[in-house]
Amino acid sequence: MLNILESDLIVRLNEEKGTLQLLLPAKGGELQVLDEISESQFVEGESAADVIGKSIMSYLSASHTSVLFGLEDYREAGRDFAQSIQKKSQLLLKSGDPDSEFEGVQLLLSEFDSKWTLADVDRISALLENAARGSSQAEKFLANDWPTRSDALKRRIARTRADP
């Protein structure tokens, strides 16, 4: 049996919503929604395999440096996907709804990369504190998961800055 890794992408059919969800593992065995795909997003002539396959390959090319399976061909699409995630997170953060703001923070965290600084981690802390004022999920994450996760992010940033 395999363990779920932080870098895994999980695909789930949500029949209630009529969507296919792309999920990322979070601490405590929970999953965060990275994207939802519905048939209404399909362009005429596109099959489900085309749309879903492109979304998955775009995510993988944006989050991995591997060239397996032709991922390099999806780098540009992956950059577009990353930009759409950034836009979605900004909309959620500006929504005024604490649960949506928390979802926006989770999307930002999924975009962590070598360009992040300690100021970015501090910004996430402030956003989480704000969301926790009205979201029990954010409050729980801030109390239980964020201290360990922020320490790990800070150590990674320090290592990245120390590498020549």
Side-chain angles (χ1 to χ4, degrees), residues 2 49 58 69 74 82 90 96 98 104 108 110 116 119 127 135 138 153 159:
L2 297 173
S58 295
F69 302 104
Y74 291 87
Q90 293 307 315
L108 285 177
S110 73
W116 275 41
L127 291 168
S135 168
L153 292 174
R159 279 194 310 271

Side-chain angles (χ1 to χ4, degrees), residues 5-162:
L5 305 174
E6 278 188 34
S7 61
D8 286 346
L9 177 66
I10 299 162
V11 179
R12 176 182 289 167
L13 179 64
N14 185 326
E15 291 189 70
E16 275 183 30
K17 288 181 150 184
T19 63
L20 190 76
Q21 296 174 315
L22 302 181
L23 307 167
L24 296 174
K27 291 281 183 189
E30 295 181 15
L31 298 173
Q32 66 184 27
V33 177
L34 175 66
D35 197 15
E36 286 189 294
I37 302 167
S38 68
E39 288 183 323
S40 65
Q41 294 173 281
F42 294 9
V43 175
E44 188 175 327
E46 277 187 317
S47 70
D50 290 337
V51 173
I52 295 163
K54 286 177 188 173
S55 293
I56 291 171
M57 294 301 284
S58 295
Y59 168 76
L60 291 173
S61 70
S63 60
H64 294 75
T65 57
S66 175
V67 294
L68 292 172
F69 302 104
L71 286 177
E72 68 275 6
D73 296 337
Y74 291 87
R75 298 277 184 247
E76 188 172 324
R79 284 187 287 278
D80 292 345
F81 182 76
Q83 287 175 349
S84 75
I85 293 299
Q86 289 171 349
K87 286 178 186 175
K88 184 175 181 176
S89 69
Q90 293 307 315
L91 287 173
L92 290 166
L93 290 169
K94 293 177 184 177
S95 70
D97 172 59
D99 287 322
S100 294
E101 291 171 5
F102 177 59
E103 186 179 341
V105 171
Q106 293 294 317
L107 286 175
L108 285 177
L109 283 171
S110 73
E111 294 297 305
F112 176 82
D113 64 20
S114 61
K115 296 179 205 116
W116 275 41
T117 65
L118 293 176
D120 292 316
V121 177
D122 291 341
R123 177 175 173 253
I124 294 292
S125 293
L127 291 168
L128 280 169
E129 288 169 7
N130 187 56
R133 291 187 186 111
S135 168
S136 60
Q137 279 185 302
E139 184 178 21
K140 180 181 166 190
F141 181 84
L142 185 63
N144 299 333
D145 297 4
W146 183 240
T148 304
R149 195 153 183 200
S150 66
D151 287 345
L153 292 174
K154 289 175 182 177
R155 284 192 306 275
R156 249 175 106 177
I157 291 167
R159 279 194 310 271
T160 303
R161 301 294 179 254

